[in-house]
Amino acid sequence: MIAGAAHAAPIPFETYIKLHNGMLEAEVVSMVGAPDYSSDSNQGQLTGGRVTTISTTRQLSWLANGQIPYTTIVTLRDGVVVDIKRDKKL
């Protein structure tokens, strides 16, 4: 994982429920702010000795804190939200 901003704020529930599959990455970041962490992975195909990128997957994470005990992870494929997870941290 690559470090993001110096500890971004967790996502409040009122904002979390507005996130949905199909949103663009820019929409998510403008709504909730920069993530604490992001990670990228590329899926490729070997064709004629060259690797061609088929899709890029990116995960953005907003960590829990003492006031909002939920970590939120948004998964994007080619810049579009495909999965949203929210886990309570004890």
Side-chain angles (χ1 to χ4, degrees):
M1 285 192 178
I2 300 170
H7 198 64
I11 299 174
F13 180 76
E14 297 79 19
T15 304
Y16 166 75
I17 61 173
K18 295 176 185 176
L19 300 176
H20 58 84
N21 287 350
M23 290 181 81
L24 298 176
E25 179 176 1
E27 291 177 288
V28 173
V29 172
S30 70
M31 185 183 293
V32 300
D36 289 303
Y37 296 99
S38 67
S39 64
D40 299 322
S41 67
N42 295 314
Q43 183 179 18
Q45 178 178 349
L46 184 61
T47 312
R50 299 182 78 195
V51 175
T52 306
T53 300
I54 296 174
S55 68
T56 301
T57 302
R58 181 177 175 102
Q59 284 193 328
L60 306 177
S61 303
W62 290 265
L63 302 179
N65 69 13
Q67 296 174 339
I68 301 174
Y70 293 92
T71 293
T72 306
I73 300 172
V74 175
T75 303
L76 304 123
R77 185 165 294 117
D78 297 327
V80 178
V81 175
V82 294
D83 190 38
I84 304 165
K85 292 182 183 177
R86 190 160 165 102
D87 295 317
K88 187 170 186 175
K89 301 297 176 188
L90 301 174

